């Protein structure tokens, strides 16, 4: 199995949508539509990292950097490729590229109860806030979003503080 990561942009939305449609359960309202992705990707500081396995689309991470703040907007891996370290590799690549662009913190939002929390917690993210009823699922049910953040600074003298 050969896993490859590459950076892309708006021309890669079709490839992103393959993962979007498979990875995100519509029951939770976390997925974005194609127009939402296209609109976002016209903004400065936004990029996508795409993962392939043996040349097949396997996942993506959608990111944004504004000044010294970075945001991981979406992270998804197609179910057939989950559990092989691709999600962690995409997250680490996001951290590295955000750091290279001068970001000092990486933020993200995740639905309360999402198994992705295991990944984020093991990667050093801390909960810094909660948005009640942020996600609206297919049947109208509302789910809280947790806001997580982690420092991107390697310097040990810097300590990330919870709000
Ligand atoms: C979250 C997601 C991206 C993880 O991708 P993945 O390629 O399966 O993740 P990895 O194989 O790199 O696993 C990384 C870690 O996540 C944790 N993890 C992943 N799935 C898990 C699960 N179902 N239960 C418990 N822990 C899990 C493990 O701790 C794993 O650590 P390990 O390397 O020590 O085993 C993937 O499950 C996904 O696409 N989910 C649906 C979309 C989504 O909810 N995205 C996040 C919100 S934006």
């Amino acid at each position: 199995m050969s896993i490859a990561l590459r950076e892309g942009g708006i021309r890669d939305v079709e490839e992103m949508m393959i993962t979007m449609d498979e990875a995100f359960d519509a029951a939770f309202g976390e997925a974005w539509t194609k127009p939402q992705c296209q609109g976002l990707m016209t903004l400065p500081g936004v990029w996508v990292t795409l993962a392939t396995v043996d040349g097949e689309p396997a996942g993506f991470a959608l990111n944004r950097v504004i000044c010294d703040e970075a945001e991981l907007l979406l992270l998804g891996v197609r179910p057939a490729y989950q559990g092989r370290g691709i999600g962690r590799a995409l997250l680490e690549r996001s951290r590295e590229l955000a750091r290279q662009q001068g970001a000092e913190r990486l933020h993200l939002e995740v639905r309360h109860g999402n198994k992705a929390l295991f990944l984020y917690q093991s990667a050093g993210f801390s909960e810094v806030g909660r948005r009640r009823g942020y996600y609206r699922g297919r049947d109208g049910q509302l789910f809280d979003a947790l806001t997580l953040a982690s420092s991107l600074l390697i310097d040990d003298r810097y300590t990330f503080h919870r709000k």
Side-chain angles (χ1 to χ4, degrees), residues 85-102:
I86 297 171
R88 191 180 291 281
L90 284 165
L91 177 59
E92 288 309 314
R93 177 81 144 233
S94 299
R95 291 170 60 87
E96 183 55 33
L97 292 180
R99 188 184 295 123
Q100 285 176 16
Q101 292 172 73

Side-chain angles (χ1 to χ4, degrees), residues 121-135:
Q121 282 162 354
S122 74
F125 282 81
S126 305
E127 184 179 330
V128 294
R130 179 184 290 241
R131 293 182 173 178
R132 301 210 177 271
Y134 184 75
Y135 298 104

Side-chain angles (χ1 to χ4, degrees), residues 23-24 75-77 82-88 114-116 118-119:
F24 292 88
L75 174 69
V77 174
Q82 289 180 8
R84 303 182 192 193
I86 297 171
R88 191 180 291 281
N114 189 326
K115 298 219 168 80
F118 291 110
L119 168 59

Side-chain angles (χ1 to χ4, degrees), residues 16-88:
M16 279 175 62
M17 293 312 291
I18 294 170
T19 296
M20 192 85 76
D21 292 343
E22 291 185 14
F24 292 88
D25 188 337
F28 300 120
E30 296 163 311
W32 293 21
T33 64
K34 189 172 157 188
Q36 283 174 322
C37 293
Q38 287 170 323
L40 195 279
M41 291 175 84
T42 60
L43 300 177
V46 175
W47 79 96
V48 64
T49 298
L50 297 140
T52 54
V53 172
D54 299 332
E56 285 296 311
F60 72 87
L62 182 63
N63 296 279
R64 168 167 57 187
V65 168
I66 302 175
C67 301
D68 61 356
E69 301 283 338
E71 189 174 8
L72 175 60
L73 297 159
L74 280 175
L75 174 69
V77 174
R78 293 171 75 187
Y81 298 110
Q82 289 180 8
R84 303 182 192 193
I86 297 171
R88 191 180 291 281

Side-chain angles (χ1 to χ4, degrees), residues 28-30 109-111 133-137 141-145:
F28 300 120
E30 296 163 311
E109 252 151 19
V110 60
R111 175 180 48 81
Y134 184 75
Y135 298 104
R136 181 181 294 275
Q141 190 181 350
L142 299 179
F143 302 93
D144 290 353

